[in-house]
Amino acid sequence: MTAHLNGFKAALSASKLQIGLWLGLTSPVTAEVCATAGYDWLVIDGEHAPNDVPAMLSQLQVLAAYDVHPVVRTVAGETWMIKQALDLGAQTVLVPMVETPEAAAELVRATRYPPMGCRGVGAALARASRYNRIPDYLATANDQVALIVQVESRSALAQVAEIAAVPGVDGVFIGPADLAADMGFLGDPSAPEVRAAVLSAIRAITRVGKPAGLLTSDRSFAMECIAEGAVFVAVGSDVGLLTSSTAALRSGFPKSI
Ligand SMILES: O=C(O)C(=O)C[C@H](O)[C@@H](O)CO
């Protein structure tokens, strides 16, 4: 019996649309508020938000009570970072700035136990195995772990089909902000050239039978990407929602005299 099925991985494999939200506030309280809003996945962002290991752990613990899938984004694709995220209990890891199929293959190895990979065995101490209370954790972990790689440069985009096709890559996320920067549109992920590149990448990923994903807070572009075949689409962030709604609320009242 597999005690911890990765429903998100199964949904991606079945091309079942998954709508997500970015978590950058590092709070288990706000994570729990977001967990009851109806999203399918929530990204605990360790790349651009100060989500350190204790913060990741507390958010993973609160999210476990809800029907939402936590995804942990590591700062980079270092084997030790991935090992730490998986042992914390993340079943799906998102790794930024993946440039080549070879790099993707190394990341696959980092997420899987031998003989498929090189993930270090520490289940006896790890929340991932519920501290060894999941009897078949080691035997089933490789099948339940999901690796999502981020493609977010012109050079990576040129090899996106090859990256997507790497066995063990369970999804490819296109990063519009970094792709825009690399394309010369720093700060403008909505530039027509960037959007065209994102849509082209979605088609290429889908053609090799892998799920494509992205983050965009532009609803019309999100719907366009979904129509193009995107499967896992994050549509905003807790930070963005808080900054915009707090300002909007205040603007409805007279300025302080
Ligand atoms: O490049 C991107 O876009 C992403 O990878 C998502 C961003 O990093 C996210 O933090 C929003 O800025």
Side-chain angles (χ1 to χ4, degrees):
M1 183 266 290
T2 301
H4 274 247
L5 285 172
N6 185 334
F8 182 66
K9 180 175 183 177
L12 296 190
S13 176
S15 299
K16 186 181 169 202
L17 179 62
Q18 301 289 288
I19 300 298
L21 187 73
W22 234 251
L23 302 182
L25 290 172
T26 77
S27 161
V29 173
T30 51
E32 194 163 23
V33 167
C34 296
T36 54
Y39 294 98
D40 303 298
W41 55 299
L42 296 172
V43 176
I44 300 170
D45 190 359
E47 184 189 10
H48 290 305
N51 273 309
D52 58 11
V53 168
M56 287 181 183
L57 176 60
S58 64
Q59 293 170 82
L60 286 167
Q61 287 172 322
V62 297
L63 294 178
Y66 299 93
D67 185 21
V68 65
H69 188 79
V71 175
V72 168
R73 178 160 76 168
T74 56
V75 180
E78 298 293 333
T79 300
W80 67 269
M81 293 179 185
I82 291 166
K83 172 167 57 179
Q84 208 166 51
L86 294 176
D87 281 353
L88 281 177
Q91 287 188 298
T92 303
V93 288
L94 175 64
V95 180
M97 302 288 188
V98 178
E99 286 288 317
T100 65
E102 293 76 17
E106 276 310 300
L107 293 170
V108 171
R109 285 178 44 76
T111 57
R112 271 61 175 196
Y113 287 125
M116 278 182 66
C118 61
R119 180 186 173 191
V121 179
L125 296 178
R127 177 176 174 276
S129 64
R130 295 308 183 269
Y131 315 103
N132 256 355
R133 293 207 195 282
I134 299 175
D136 62 350
Y137 178 76
L138 289 176
T140 60
N142 284 359
D143 289 337
Q144 299 308 321
V145 163
L147 167 67
I148 301 175
V149 297
Q150 289 197 219
V151 165
E152 38 196 349
S153 71
R154 287 164 296 171
S155 58
L157 231 51
Q159 305 181 75
V160 68
E162 292 81 358
I163 291 170
V166 171
V169 167
D170 301 295
V172 181
F173 177 96
I174 305 142
D178 283 305
L179 179 59
D182 184 72
M183 291 177 68
F185 298 95
L186 178 62
D188 186 12
S190 302
E193 296 84 348
V194 177
R195 288 191 165 184
V198 170
L199 292 168
S200 170
I202 291 170
R203 290 191 292 270
I205 297 160
T206 307
R207 270 195 300 272
V208 300
K210 294 286 179 76
L214 76 152
L215 164 64
T216 179
S217 57
D218 180 310
R219 186 182 185 283
S220 64
F221 186 54
M223 296 304 288
E224 192 176 355
C225 291
I226 291 167
E228 202 66 46
V231 177
F232 57 109
V233 182
V235 295
S237 70
D238 55 357
V239 173
L241 291 167
L242 185 59
T243 47
S244 56
S245 59
T246 47
L249 178 61
R250 178 63 185 88
S251 68
F253 296 89
K255 288 268 182 251
S256 308
I257 301 167

